Amino acid sequence: MTGEKSGQTPELHHQHRDVSGGWLRPAVFGAMDGLVSNFALIAGIAGGKQDPKIVLLAGLAGLAAGAFSMAAGEYISVASQSELALAEIEIERLELARNPVAEQRELAGVFEARGVDPETAAEVARQLSRNPEGALEVHSKEELGVSPGDLPSPLLAAGSSFLSFAVGALLPVLPYLLGASSLWPAAAVAALGLFFAGALVSRVTTRAWWFGGARQLLFGAAAAAITYGVGAVIGTNGL
């Protein structure tokens, strides 16, 4: 009512979802990777009419191998990316020390390209360049797309990948750990896990939760069916 009396339009606010997915996306996708790959492995072994103990052993081996492989790959990937970024940031730091005027002009040009008038762009660049570390951060974000103090941790990435993959891979193994002698209990647990994970991922998409769950369940079931068929054929032929 106050806004109407003063003739002012009420101030409106809106919020966007995290389009990068934040922590949810890599965690859920890591768990789905572990779930799909290990359930498919178990299905292939079970399709060959192997003893439940062999299926359990294969599932535990797949969990350990997959989790360590994911962690190692993620560590190397993130560490290499961070090392490259740090090397480029150091080049930018040296350029700021050697050619401060040229770097200031370059920064002003960036602002001009975004629609700022030349005088304002030059003044903003001048003020930002007074603080070397602040200038380095701005240059790094504008030219490299990264911030010197906000690089990802290789250890955190590796640990997260290890845990998320292990949790997903453990689900289809649980029934065998509890004494199951057939694939059906593991298939039921895996199906629930796949649907739940797919529905959870829909939080960072525009899809309905049931669509995300059904889609992930379909892909996971297809992978397991194919490996089960391969195992059955190999088991039948005695290879």
Side-chain angles (χ1 to χ4, degrees), residues 22-96:
W23 61 267
L24 178 64
R25 185 180 183 278
V28 174
F29 274 94
M32 283 198 297
D33 188 11
L35 176 54
V36 172
S37 62
N38 215 32
F39 178 51
L41 172 63
I42 289 174
I45 301 297
K49 310 301 181 185
Q50 294 295 329
D51 184 276
K53 293 182 178 179
I54 300 298
V55 178
L56 174 59
L57 177 60
L60 292 176
L63 186 158
F68 279 109
S69 176
M70 284 284 293
E74 193 70 14
Y75 181 90
I76 296 299
S77 175
V78 174
S80 299
Q81 182 180 7
S82 296
E83 289 166 1
L84 175 60
L86 288 173
E88 293 299 315
I89 290 172
E90 188 58 29
I91 292 176
E92 192 63 35
R93 188 192 301 275
L94 292 175
E95 285 299 312
L96 284 168

Side-chain angles (χ1 to χ4, degrees), residues 3-227:
E4 294 178 359
K5 291 180 180 180
S6 63
Q8 296 178 350
T9 302
E11 187 176 358
L12 300 177
H13 296 279
H14 68 279
Q15 293 182 337
H16 291 289
R17 290 179 295 176
D18 182 3
V19 297
S20 68
W23 61 267
L24 178 64
R25 185 180 183 278
V28 174
F29 274 94
M32 283 198 297
D33 188 11
L35 176 54
V36 172
S37 62
N38 215 32
F39 178 51
L41 172 63
I42 289 174
I45 301 297
K49 310 301 181 185
Q50 294 295 329
D51 184 276
K53 293 182 178 179
I54 300 298
V55 178
L56 174 59
L57 177 60
L60 292 176
L63 186 158
F68 279 109
S69 176
M70 284 284 293
E74 193 70 14
Y75 181 90
I76 296 299
S77 175
V78 174
S80 299
Q81 182 180 7
S82 296
E83 289 166 1
L84 175 60
L86 288 173
E88 293 299 315
I89 290 172
E90 188 58 29
I91 292 176
E92 192 63 35
R93 188 192 301 275
L94 292 175
E95 285 299 312
L96 284 168
R98 294 172 180 172
N99 304 299
V101 175
E103 290 296 309
Q104 183 175 319
R105 290 174 180 169
E106 182 180 356
L107 189 57
V110 171
F111 295 136
E112 286 185 46
R114 293 188 174 185
V116 180
D117 63 83
E119 293 78 10
T120 303
E123 178 59 21
V124 172
R126 185 188 68 80
Q127 293 189 28
L128 288 173
S129 299
R130 290 185 299 189
N131 178 4
E133 290 301 317
L136 176 63
E137 183 171 354
V138 174
H139 277 275
S140 297
K141 287 183 177 179
E142 293 294 335
E143 298 179 31
L144 304 174
V146 297
S147 176
D150 196 28
L151 295 176
S153 167
L155 286 176
L156 179 60
S160 300
S161 295
F162 182 92
L163 289 176
S164 61
F165 186 97
V167 168
L170 180 62
L171 289 179
V173 178
L174 278 176
Y176 284 96
L177 286 173
L178 297 176
S181 58
S182 69
L183 182 64
W184 292 113
V189 172
L192 289 174
L194 287 168
F195 187 88
F196 177 78
L200 193 58
V201 169
S202 68
R203 288 187 54 187
V204 295
T205 70
T206 58
R207 295 289 190 179
W209 63 270
W210 59 266
F211 179 87
R215 178 173 59 181
Q216 186 57 42
L217 176 59
L218 176 63
F219 288 143
I226 292 172
T227 55

